[in-house]
Amino acid sequence: GIWLYRHAFKGLRKILGPEHKMVLDIEHNLGLALRETGDLPRTEKLYRKCLKNYKKVLGPEDDDTMRMHMNLGNILRMRGDIDDGMRHYAIALNGFRKEYGDMHITTLHAGLGLGLLISHRHDHMTQALNDRNGNLNAAMNQASKAEIKMHDYINSLEDYENALSPEPPMCL
């Protein structure tokens, strides 16, 4: 499938020019095909290029530009870049709100994507906090064990000193 999209993309770009809507759409579809192969770094690179071209040709508030923001946001989520993914979903959500209102399916879809990223970010923050607390608890346990060992060592030293003490035992 990817070979076919690349072939169509090159041919149409040569015939119609790089800024024709059909060329932009084929390039976007090439990104979808790349995503299906699991090649997320190349997909992200292509989606960023597509977004730039959609903004230039169609404008920053066009529906296809907003959809490109959502697609890029999704790839960024898959790659673990939650903050940048949230930024792109928020741009799409605001654009769709202006265009369609809050209750349109497209607006709701963008809101759902942003909500998933926020939830994902929360999960990561919770895990990091748990890891940090776990590390803190482990450190405290180690310190407690070290303190017990130190106490035992001091007691042993005291016992040793008492055994070697030059003073004779007291007799009554």
Side-chain angles (χ1 to χ4, degrees):
I2 293 175
W3 177 85
L4 188 59
Y5 278 118
R6 282 188 179 149
H7 184 70
F9 174 70
K10 287 178 182 180
L12 286 173
R13 187 175 59 190
K14 187 175 185 178
I15 295 167
L16 300 173
E19 296 182 353
H20 192 278
K21 171 85 166 76
M22 189 179 290
V23 173
L24 297 176
D25 291 342
I26 292 290
E27 188 174 38
H28 175 239
N29 289 337
L30 176 59
L32 293 171
L34 268 175
R35 184 185 72 193
E36 291 303 312
T37 68
D39 189 349
L40 299 181
R42 283 181 50 205
T43 303
E44 179 186 345
K45 184 178 178 182
L46 184 59
Y47 276 3
R48 287 188 186 280
K49 181 181 172 192
C50 287
L51 178 59
K52 180 181 173 186
N53 290 336
Y54 274 118
K55 282 180 181 179
K56 180 180 177 185
V57 174
L58 304 174
E61 295 183 1
D62 183 81
D63 279 6
D64 288 327
T65 304
M66 293 300 115
R67 282 183 179 77
M68 204 60 240
H69 275 291
M70 284 184 9
N71 287 340
L72 180 55
N74 190 41
I75 292 300
L76 291 166
R77 176 194 58 80
M78 294 168 74
R79 295 202 66 203
D81 189 349
I82 304 303
D83 290 336
D84 201 20
M86 285 173 56
R87 185 177 66 82
H88 284 283
Y89 264 104
I91 291 168
L93 177 60
N94 290 330
F96 288 138
R97 274 186 171 154
K98 278 189 213 175
E99 183 72 23
Y100 300 119
D102 287 339
M103 297 309 291
H104 190 273
I105 188 70
T106 307
T107 305
L108 295 171
H109 183 74
L112 175 64
L114 180 57
L116 289 171
L117 282 168
I118 290 169
S119 174
H120 197 71
R121 184 179 192 197
H122 175 266
D123 291 347
H124 278 270
M125 291 173 73
T126 301
Q127 183 62 44
L129 184 58
N130 287 338
D131 289 347
R132 179 177 289 160
N133 286 339
N135 290 339
L136 181 59
N137 288 338
M140 289 174 65
N141 285 340
Q142 291 295 331
S144 180
K145 288 177 184 176
E147 185 179 339
I148 291 169
K149 286 180 181 178
M150 181 61 79
H151 182 69
D152 290 345
Y153 177 73
I154 290 171
N155 284 342
S156 295
L157 279 179
E158 287 173 353
D159 291 343
Y160 184 74
E161 283 178 357
N162 289 336
L164 297 177
S165 175
E167 295 180 23
M170 261 181 145
C171 296
L172 291 175

